[in-house]
Amino acid sequence: MFPIQRPRRLRSHPQLRRMVRETILTTNDLIYPLFAVPGEGIAKEVKSMPGVYQLSVDKIVEEAKEVYDLGIPAIILFGIPEDKDVDATGAWHDCGIVQKAATAVKTAVPDLIVIADTCLCEYTSHGHCGYLQVGDLTGRVLNDPTLELLKKTAVSQAKAGADIIAPSGMMDGFVQAIRAGLDAAGFQDTPILSYAAKYASAYYGPFRDAADSTPQFGDRRTYQMDPGNSREAIKEIELDIAEGADMLMVKPALAYMDIIWRVKEASNLPVAAYNVSGEYSMIKAAALNGWIDEERVVMETLTGFKRAGADLILTYHAKDAARWLR
């Protein structure tokens, strides 16, 4: 009458649990986001993201060295320019803030992989991800003219030393345009990590404080995906694969683990999950109030992303996770 199958047998000892664990999180899975700003000696904490800072290039280099020493293989750079305009000049100029940061990091820590976020919202005066029709107050980005800006931006980032280009604006055809631009400029070997399934999410709120990228009017729902759609994510990744993407990203991660799983099942490319600012801030706020065990919740969350199919995890928890993994 007793059970023949007793799954608890394999849970009886910590070492035994380690031996049969199906999903293993390591520092190799982590990518750490950094926010570059003009100036020197600047480390300004983002109010809505405790422990995350806007950093001048010299401080970015210090942070990059620490990240590398922790065994984290890559960073992704976002930039906040000194001036903004409708042409997003700071995104593609040779002296742009991400370009300066990328060059400085590759000089100081050549073996650290530098990913450049290739988007325009931080650099436009209106806060949208490309050109708008003159007089438009809805935020409906003009797709094809914006592709030329993204192409210029990607090439300038690659010239500055970026190892991977990560376009995030969700413009139709952006992977093909960037691939053509990189190839024509001699960067045939520079991979593209496409934000292939990026949703119009409320979880981005704190990031917009960090990157100073809140739209001045309208919203981004005409180009970012509707949170209710999952089949559309497969359509988006198939298009990006056909256009030459080397890796795919799902963003956000926490409320979209089903999408991570579907993308993983539908593709043989590496899949990244972006553990976004709102997800980070919720955990931080609860931890600072003593409501949760931060280490256990963070590690369980990151392991969940990997179990769902993520090969790479972009997360603001990366440094803490690397220390806990040690």
Side-chain angles (χ1 to χ4, degrees):
M1 298 300 293
F2 290 101
I4 295 173
Q5 295 294 334
R6 293 181 181 267
R8 289 182 59 187
R9 291 175 186 140
L10 300 183
R11 304 175 195 148
S12 60
H13 191 282
Q15 302 296 3
L16 188 52
R17 291 195 295 273
R18 283 180 58 204
M19 289 168 63
V20 298
R21 187 165 294 146
E22 299 173 27
T23 304
I24 309 295
L25 180 74
T26 76
T27 53
N28 294 333
D29 305 317
L30 305 176
I31 298 169
Y32 189 51
L34 290 170
F35 298 93
V37 296
E40 191 173 344
I42 296 171
K44 180 182 177 184
E45 189 171 27
V46 180
K47 187 176 180 181
S48 57
M49 298 179 70
V52 174
Y53 295 82
Q54 295 177 334
L55 301 167
S56 52
V57 171
D58 56 316
K59 293 292 185 180
I60 290 272
V61 169
E62 291 177 14
E63 196 80 350
K65 290 177 180 177
E66 182 182 359
V67 167
Y68 183 74
D69 289 342
L70 285 167
I72 298 167
I75 60 171
I76 183 167
L77 291 173
F78 298 89
I80 300 95
E82 197 159 4
D83 299 302
K84 304 187 179 198
D85 56 41
V86 294
D87 294 312
T89 305
W92 49 265
H93 197 281
D94 289 343
C95 294
I97 188 64
V98 163
Q99 286 79 357
K100 288 180 179 178
T103 300
V105 169
K106 291 305 292 184
T107 300
V109 197
D111 288 334
L112 183 68
I113 294 296
V114 172
I115 305 169
D117 177 77
T118 307
C119 196
L120 307 172
C121 59
E122 300 105 306
Y123 307 94
T124 56
S125 50
H126 45 68
H128 282 283
C129 299
Y131 283 123
L132 302 180
Q133 193 75 42
V134 175
D136 184 297
L137 294 178
T138 67
R140 190 179 183 87
V141 172
L142 299 175
N143 193 93
D144 294 5
T146 296
L147 296 180
E148 293 303 311
L149 286 181
L150 290 171
K151 187 189 300 185
K152 286 201 298 183
T153 300
V155 171
S156 71
Q157 291 169 339
K159 285 180 178 177
D163 298 291
I164 297 172
I165 299 301
S168 60
M170 289 299 288
M171 295 297 111
D172 294 339
F174 67 165
V175 171
Q176 181 175 325
I178 288 170
R179 183 75 272 158
L182 291 172
D183 290 356
F187 295 103
Q188 296 91 341
D189 294 329
T190 300
I192 295 174
L193 166 58
S194 173
Y195 288 65
K198 181 179 179 181
Y199 286 83
S201 172
Y203 282 98
Y204 302 150
F207 174 91
R208 291 172 183 174
D209 293 338
D212 189 23
S213 61
T214 303
Q216 298 301 302
F217 46 81
D219 56 42
R220 297 184 176 135
R221 296 182 198 185
T222 63
Y223 44 104
Q224 294 177 357
M225 288 178 57
D226 188 306
N229 292 359
S230 58
R231 292 194 305 272
E232 186 184 15
I234 305 307
K235 178 180 180 180
E236 288 282 5
I237 71 153
E238 288 174 346
L239 288 169
D240 287 2
I241 292 168
E243 291 174 16
D246 301 282
M247 295 177 279
L248 306 167
M249 190 191 300
V250 176
K251 181 181 180 182
L254 192 60
Y256 297 85
M257 286 207 232
D258 61 317
I259 305 301
I260 297 170
W261 176 257
R262 291 191 67 162
V263 169
K264 182 70 171 181
E265 289 293 291
S267 164
N268 59 9
L269 296 184
V271 177
Y274 201 138
N275 179 207
V276 300
S277 59
E279 298 164 9
Y280 170 87
S281 295
M282 289 191 302
I283 289 177
K284 273 292 181 183
L288 289 170
N289 278 285
W291 298 335
I292 60 171
D293 180 327
E294 182 178 3
E295 178 179 344
R296 288 190 64 190
V297 169
V298 168
M299 300 306 280
E300 184 177 341
T301 301
L302 299 181
T303 300
F305 298 147
K306 190 165 184 188
R307 190 184 65 246
D311 301 292
L312 305 167
I313 303 169
L314 294 83
T315 178
Y316 306 96
H317 297 291
K319 290 198 302 179
D320 287 336
R323 294 187 186 103
W324 294 327
L325 285 166
R326 284 184 169 181

